[in-house]
Amino acid sequence: MKKFLICLTALLSFSMASYAAIGIYEFETLEQEQQFKDLSHTLRCPKCQNNTIGDSNAPLAQDLRQRVYEMTMAGKTEEEIVDFMIARYGNFVTYKPPLTLATSILWFGPIAILVFGFGLIVVKSRKSKVAVAETEKWDSEKEARLKALLDEENNGDKQ
């Protein structure tokens, strides 16, 4: 019985390895192979969102790898393949999206908010200093009242 369980475990482990098979692609030139590797590591999987199509095992990533392979074998350049993927899946498919009006808000929005916020803080603090200085002008009447209060307090301590 023990031998049977060991054999069953070994068979199951070998069968699971067959599901994890990695696609093997054959190329005519080293340039094509390098282009495929570069694109596999620069294009993002639309389904996984944080993996490249080379790292992802999602069916969509496998389809994209196959499409990149076919286009590479057809003699397309990297730019043509990336343009095709952007046309089909949008700028999200690249890790380095181009600077457009929509993406400029993402790039420059936080900086603008920080500059505006610090500017607002500086303006408000300057206004409050001026307001405090204007309301608390010291004159001889206030000085006399202060002396009277201090004298009263000091006389109360002695009694």
Side-chain angles (χ1 to χ4, degrees), residues 141-153:
E141 184 182 322
K142 288 184 181 179
E143 184 74 29
R145 280 184 47 205
L146 178 63
K147 282 185 180 183
L149 287 172
L150 287 173
D151 286 340
E152 210 177 280
E153 186 177 302

Side-chain angles (χ1 to χ4, degrees), residues 18-38:
S18 67
Y19 285 112
I22 298 172
I24 298 174
Y25 300 99
E26 295 183 16
F27 299 94
E28 296 170 0
T29 63
L30 288 174
E31 289 82 20
Q32 288 178 335
E33 183 176 358
Q34 188 61 41
Q35 177 179 328
F36 178 78
K37 285 180 183 178
D38 290 344

